[in-house]
Amino acid sequence: MNGRAKPLFDSLQAAWLLLVLVLLYIPMISVALASLSNTRYMLFPHRTWTTDAYADALAGYTTGALHLTSLRIALLVVVISVVLASFGALAFARFDWRGRRAFQRFLVLPLFFPQPVLGLALLVYFTALGITPSWQTAAFAHLVWIVPVVTLVISIRLYNYDVLQEDAAFDLGATRLQVLREVTLPALAPGIVSGALFAFLLSWSNLPLSVFTSGADTTLPEWLYSRTATNYSPMVPAIAVIATAVSAMVVIAAALGLSLARGRDGAGTTS
Amino acid sequence: MRRPNPGILTMLPVLVFLLAGFVIPILVVALYSLMPPRTFDLAGSPTFTNYATAFADGYWRPLMWSALGAAATTLICLVLAWPTARALDRFAGRWATLVTLLIALPIFISESVRLFGLALFMMPGGGILAGSIDALFGVSIGTILYTRLAALLGLVYIHFPFVLFPLLLGVSLVPKDQVAAARDLGASGWQVFREIEAPLAAPGAAVGALLCFVLSLGANAEMNILGGQAVTVITNAIEQRFNYAQDWPLGAALTVLTVLLTAAVVFPVLRRIDVDSLARR
């Protein structure tokens, strides 16, 4: 082994990783710092450090309305994408069939597509169909991008799934529905939970699709986007922090729920 | 087979959805691009006028800026992601997992929050950076905010994880003993990179580069928040045609040109990559 230069090289590599992390988190730290002021102009370091902006944000009507719009879209996206993607993942990873390769390639195409261009194309499509853009059309646009992501997430779990379990169940006389309910779905469950989490977070934070397809409804990222240019006040970074905290809480709640469910499952199988 | 093949049945919902939400919309846009200028229905007789206008009116310019920006972003991200992937792989299993998680987290924070934060950081005068330096050292510094450089910085910032993670997958496939053996046989660092690491990490790097190029090709928030309209990118040009100029067919023609450019980059690479085996890892 090339042992001589290693300690120095190792610490260089560690320092590089630290630098990358610091650089990656600068914007988030900046937003948090900016929110702790009470002046309409950004003048850092602040004369007075205060959490007034958060009180204003929480008291304001806009904050709730924005969160509600984003939440509606995200929940709709989660439900529909998980249902579609669970089937899609079975076709992607579980079953062997002619045309599977072509399907796999077709499925990833929306991921390799510029999102704002997709948003604009969908806007034209909705208008041509006579549909007025609203939060529902924004959810549809999110789905075009998120269904492939969730399908991939669930598929990755499915690759480790032992097909023989199903055959065994069939041989023991189980019906198709029973096998789906008792064997396939429990195996899919962890993938479905991570898929739902991905769907929620990606929808919650999406800007490029919402901007063109949500019509008169405004999501959180859209509002922040429009406020970065005009009408700045410390409430803007404060709402950005609140919105990010909400998504973090969803992740934590899901992780807790999952570990609780796992604990119960583990107890169930051992007894 | 005792049952009809379930593969086809289970893929139908996704297939139908993607046809309705992805393929048909693109076809509708393609149809619009062939309609006479400034019309709003699909009943006109097909014409290529809009494509001629697109080139004559200099719309190749925003497309070129977008393509240049995307290429530069991809290159910079690859150069930055390579040592990062190597370092993460080197410390794999230890705290590298935590670092990897921390690098992935910002993907789930909205682009508008992150770009906004970058703008706040770079703001002149009372910005986070300029204000801190002024307060600490009494030196006032300029800013690159609202320039092309700032927009490029934003593009690199947003798309870095999309290059890093596929690349990390590729780098983790490079067998350590093979590198060690080459080293023992006297290979230089560059030789190890060229002969062993690069070919093995290539599929991961290709997927990452492809994702990065395509996503930055359509990016416009970076220009609007950080670039201060220093350049018009293709997405902004299309949006202007659709919304302000009310010239749908021209906007559609520009969209089709962007889609064609995307397809010309995506298809050759994607054809060579085995999606199945990549997802399997």
Side-chain angles (χ1 to χ4, degrees):
Chain A
M1 298 285 280
N2 48 328
R4 276 160 302 161
K6 253 194 170 156
L8 176 67
F9 192 57
D10 270 8
S11 37
L12 270 179
Q13 284 194 314
W16 170 257
L17 284 183
L18 193 67
L19 179 71
V20 167
L21 276 185
V22 169
L23 290 177
L24 276 177
Y25 280 86
I26 275 181
M28 277 72 90
I29 295 165
S30 300
V31 170
L33 286 176
S35 70
L36 297 171
S37 140
N38 58 2
T39 51
R40 287 195 69 86
Y41 301 96
M42 184 58 190
L43 207 64
F44 194 77
H46 310 310
R47 288 276 155 69
T48 37
W49 294 76
T50 159
T51 51
D52 287 356
Y54 288 90
D56 289 350
L58 290 176
Y61 166 76
T62 352
T63 321
L66 293 170
H67 277 78
L68 195 66
T69 309
S70 282
L71 190 68
R72 272 184 186 157
I73 297 177
L75 289 182
L76 193 62
V77 167
V78 166
V79 172
I80 299 178
S81 67
V82 161
V83 172
L84 288 177
S86 299
F87 287 110
L90 287 172
F92 191 101
R94 156 72 183 82
F95 297 121
D96 241 333
W97 51 287
R98 271 164 55 97
R100 187 169 80 129
R101 293 267 141 139
F103 172 67
Q104 289 176 331
R105 257 155 226 222
F106 173 66
L107 184 90
V108 296
L109 281 186
L111 305 180
F112 291 95
F113 198 87
Q115 280 191 49
V117 179
L118 178 63
L120 282 164
L122 285 170
L123 175 64
V124 169
Y125 175 60
F126 294 139
T127 319
L129 289 177
I131 301 169
T132 313
S134 65
W135 66 271
Q136 286 105 326
T137 50
F140 183 88
H142 286 192
L143 281 167
V144 176
W145 184 64
I146 290 175
V147 163
V149 175
V150 180
T151 309
L152 281 176
V153 170
I154 301 180
S155 296
I156 287 167
R157 285 299 188 129
L158 262 187
Y159 279 122
N160 303 321
Y161 167 61
D162 188 2
V163 182
L164 290 176
Q165 296 173 3
E166 275 180 25
D167 290 341
F170 278 124
D171 289 346
L172 292 168
T175 64
R176 207 170 172 77
L177 197 70
Q178 277 178 313
V179 170
L180 186 72
R181 215 182 47 208
E182 308 276 332
V183 182
T184 316
L185 272 182
L188 272 168
I192 289 177
V193 173
S194 7
L197 208 55
F198 267 78
F200 183 88
L201 292 173
L202 293 176
S203 168
W204 183 262
S205 65
N206 187 284
L207 172 71
L209 291 169
S210 303
V211 128
F212 298 118
T213 55
S214 69
D217 294 326
T218 310
T219 67
L220 274 165
E222 275 181 83
W223 185 83
L224 293 170
Y225 181 51
S226 68
R227 280 306 189 90
T228 53
T230 51
N231 259 327
Y232 175 83
S233 79
M235 208 173 98
V236 181
I239 291 185
V241 171
I242 295 172
T244 310
V246 168
S247 62
M249 281 189 299
V250 170
V251 177
I252 293 167
L256 276 181
L258 202 65
S259 67
L260 273 180
R262 214 171 265 154
R264 215 181 40 218
D265 256 21
T269 43
T270 45
S271 64
Chain B
M1 281 258 118
R2 50 195 166 138
R3 297 181 294 273
N5 195 322
I8 295 176
L9 287 177
T10 45
M11 68 111 186
L12 270 178
V14 172
L15 184 75
V16 169
F17 174 72
L18 287 185
L19 283 178
F22 185 63
V23 178
I24 296 176
I26 292 174
L27 291 179
V28 168
V29 171
L31 258 180
Y32 263 111
S33 75
L34 299 174
M35 291 297 111
R38 291 175 195 280
T39 50
F40 291 96
D41 54 54
L42 293 165
S45 52
T47 159
F48 279 103
T49 326
N50 305 301
Y51 290 94
T53 314
F55 284 102
D57 284 4
Y59 279 105
W60 52 270
R61 212 175 259 282
L63 194 59
M64 182 201 72
W65 277 119
S66 287
L68 267 180
T73 306
T74 310
L75 211 66
I76 297 172
C77 282
L78 275 174
V79 169
L80 293 177
W82 177 255
T84 315
R86 282 261 312 252
L88 284 174
D89 186 50
R90 166 75 186 77
F91 300 117
R94 280 186 267 170
W95 40 272
T97 318
L98 178 68
V99 177
T100 313
L101 200 70
L102 284 175
I103 295 177
L105 270 182
I107 298 180
F108 298 107
I109 297 174
S110 184
E111 241 173 79
S112 42
V113 175
R114 289 182 289 156
L115 292 172
F116 179 39
L118 269 182
L120 290 169
F121 182 73
M122 292 195 278
M123 235 173 231
I128 303 286
L129 180 67
S132 306
I133 288 184
D134 194 20
L136 288 174
F137 310 110
V139 183
S140 43
I141 55 162
T143 182
I144 58 159
L145 192 62
Y146 308 134
T147 62
R148 282 169 208 167
L149 185 62
L152 183 62
L153 206 74
L155 281 170
V156 169
Y157 177 82
I158 295 289
H159 299 100
F160 175 73
F162 293 105
V163 181
L164 178 67
F165 289 110
L167 188 65
L168 187 58
L169 204 73
V171 168
S172 66
L173 292 174
V174 178
K176 304 275 174 309
D177 45 355
Q178 209 169 326
V179 175
R183 284 256 179 213
D184 286 346
L185 293 170
S188 68
W190 171 246
Q191 278 175 316
V192 170
F193 171 74
R194 217 190 44 192
E195 307 277 335
I196 301 170
E197 293 174 321
L200 283 168
V207 169
L210 195 63
L211 261 179
C212 176
F213 183 85
V214 168
L215 296 179
S216 17
L217 186 68
N220 66 333
E222 288 83 354
M223 309 305 158
N224 298 345
I225 295 179
L226 301 172
Q229 321 282 338
V231 269
T232 306
V233 288
I234 190 65
T235 304
N236 287 346
I238 297 173
E239 191 196 357
Q240 282 161 14
R241 288 305 98 194
F242 279 145
N243 285 347
Y244 308 113
Q246 292 288 311
D247 192 350
W248 282 25
L250 183 54
L254 294 175
T255 309
V256 170
L257 289 174
T258 315
V259 172
L260 287 179
L261 179 62
T262 310
V265 180
V266 168
F267 281 117
V269 183
L270 213 56
R271 196 172 324 140
R272 281 188 211 170
I273 290 166
D274 188 0
V275 180
D276 194 41
S277 62
L278 217 60
R280 206 178 277 270
R281 281 176 208 142

